[in-house]
Amino acid sequence: MIEGARRTASQRTRAALRLLLGTDLACGLSVALGLFLISGGVHLWLGAAAAASAATGVIIASPPDRPWPRRGKLRQLLPAPLLGVPLFFAVQLLHHAPWRLGLLLVPATFLAFLAMAWGKRGIGIAIAVMLAMVFSMATPAPADWHEALQRSWHAALGAALYVVYATLMNLALNARYRVQAMAELLLALAALMRTEARQFTARDESSDVREVARPLLGLLLRQQAALADQQQATRDLVFESLRTPRRQRLAGMLLTVLEMRDHLLASELDLETLRSHPRQAPVLAALRELFEAMAQDVEDLADAMLAFRTPAPIPDRRAQLGAIRAGHAEETHEAAAPTAGPSPAMLARGLANRLGHLNDETVRLAALARGDAAPDLAIVRAHWRLFVSPTDWSLAPFLALWRWDAPPLRHAIRAALALGAGYLVALAMPWGSHDYWILLTIVVVLRGSLAQTLERRNQRVAGTLAGCVLAVALLASHPGAGELLLVMSFAQAIAHGMAVRNYTVTAVGATVLGLVQA
């Protein structure tokens, strides 16, 4: 029991370090630093009111800011402020006309969610556009159009400064982002390897195969999807500008991971047939142990890369695999009735051979990371163009939307109807002065399916309650403007950095940010 507790504590410590040293928190801290510098600078230059509007401009411009190749970073960032700031101004002008404001909000929401047709790039733009309208609603009604224009100018200033800042920070952090992305890809690969290893057990003849396999199959599919998603993000970063030996080694590691993914898929061949033979249980157990050891080697390699350490060499386990094959060679000579297909012993040796190829690639990964081996530059240069995502904006995704079975179109319709209904409820309720909070909740909770929406709703409620408690405790101490700016920056780091990993934590940070900003 004590050993199990130690192992659990060690795993949690490693998971926390991976989060602290990963791309998500690094990007979140970069955004927070930008918010702090820009808001603080505008505060010293133009005063507190201008700084608040400039902070809103930073919040509008920041959602698309993720680790990105240096080429195309500016094009990735520009659409959010170009669309968001005019909408911020339009909402300012319509503060005193709630019905006309509603007629702006609904179609703008529909168009904003259509941006999801561009995938992950579009999601950031949709969020930015919605935040522009919601944060504009959160401000006190302007006295006249001059005040509305002044606020919008300050928001535009903050957004413009942030676009410049984020482009330069992405350039400065690009080398670190490459290493972090590669390490996170290795962690996704190791997780999939561990799940694959769980299949290397003999099947009890009395068990229901479907009931046993269903949870494991679901986990495998989720991890394969996560690996594919991380692969594309890593490809875009690592395959750009392969001019230095370090970048070339990272590209070689990425191609090695692609090979390992194929070997993982091949390891499932004939596995189900082999599991149905109880006499092969010792072979499967030995192979599983080696499989898990290789997964641990990959994890250790990833942790070393994240922690700025030189990775240790990965031991070659070919000899152990050979011993497993040799130890069961006599089974090929067993007196048994002839079968139409290969014998269980032959299947076991074939599986061991496939794990041998996986072992070779694992050893090569560490050698590339340490600089002990050089990548095959001919292969790297021949393949990189096949894998890199385009950085230019194209009208093709938008033009292909206009059919009923297009998910982005249907989601945009749902979002517009939901926001319109929420706005009507907000106007009818006594607390209609806080209508922006209702709309913000709709925007962040609404997902592609009912199950996902309900899950996000629960996370939102829990995070909002915790964030409200923290914000009340903070505001009760009557902090000064500098302290509020620090809190906003930290909350922005949490909200931006944890958005993909844990939405409950994101909701806590976003709630504190929204309440302090308002």
Side-chain angles (χ1 to χ4, degrees), residues 269-358:
L269 296 175
D270 303 319
L271 179 58
E272 193 59 38
T273 303
L274 195 61
R275 292 179 64 199
S276 64
H277 295 276
R279 296 190 64 179
Q280 297 300 316
V283 186
L284 288 172
L287 292 177
R288 174 175 178 167
E289 185 178 349
L290 284 177
F291 209 162
E292 290 177 339
M294 286 189 281
Q296 185 62 52
D297 290 337
V298 174
E299 280 191 2
D300 293 340
L301 172 59
D303 288 336
M305 293 176 65
L306 285 175
F308 304 91
R309 299 196 312 266
T310 300
I314 290 179
D316 190 342
R317 293 185 168 84
R318 272 285 186 179
Q320 295 170 267
L321 288 166
I324 293 173
R325 290 195 298 269
H328 296 82
E330 67 276 5
E331 294 189 21
T332 60
H333 304 293
E334 288 179 347
T339 59
S343 68
M346 293 175 64
L347 294 177
R349 287 198 303 274
L351 184 56
N353 284 331
R354 296 185 202 111
L355 291 190
H357 294 306
L358 194 62

Side-chain angles (χ1 to χ4, degrees), residues 485-518:
L485 182 55
L486 284 173
V487 170
M488 283 179 56
S489 301
F490 180 74
Q492 175 70 9
I494 297 299
H496 192 91
M498 298 297 293
V500 178
R501 291 183 176 270
N502 190 321
Y503 183 72
T504 303
V505 177
T506 293
V508 174
T511 300
V512 174
L513 176 65
L515 290 175
V516 173
Q517 176 72 359

Side-chain angles (χ1 to χ4, degrees), residues 356-445:
H357 294 306
L358 194 62
N359 166 79
D360 297 342
E361 300 296 347
T362 304
V363 172
R364 177 168 173 77
L365 267 180
L368 286 168
R370 289 170 52 83
D372 297 338
D376 189 333
L377 295 182
I379 295 178
V380 169
R381 287 171 176 151
H383 287 79
W384 75 269
R385 291 185 181 276
L386 301 176
F387 298 124
V388 177
S389 301
T391 57
D392 294 328
W393 293 97
S394 169
L395 286 176
F398 182 78
L399 298 177
L401 273 178
W402 306 102
R403 61 181 194 279
W404 178 245
D405 60 343
L409 176 63
R410 300 176 70 168
H411 191 50
I413 294 173
R414 284 196 298 268
L417 292 176
L419 188 129
Y423 186 66
L424 290 175
V425 170
L427 292 180
M429 291 294 136
W431 50 82
S433 58
H434 299 294
D435 47 5
Y436 62 89
W437 201 252
I438 296 176
L439 303 188
L440 179 62
T441 300
I442 291 172
V443 169
V444 299
V445 165

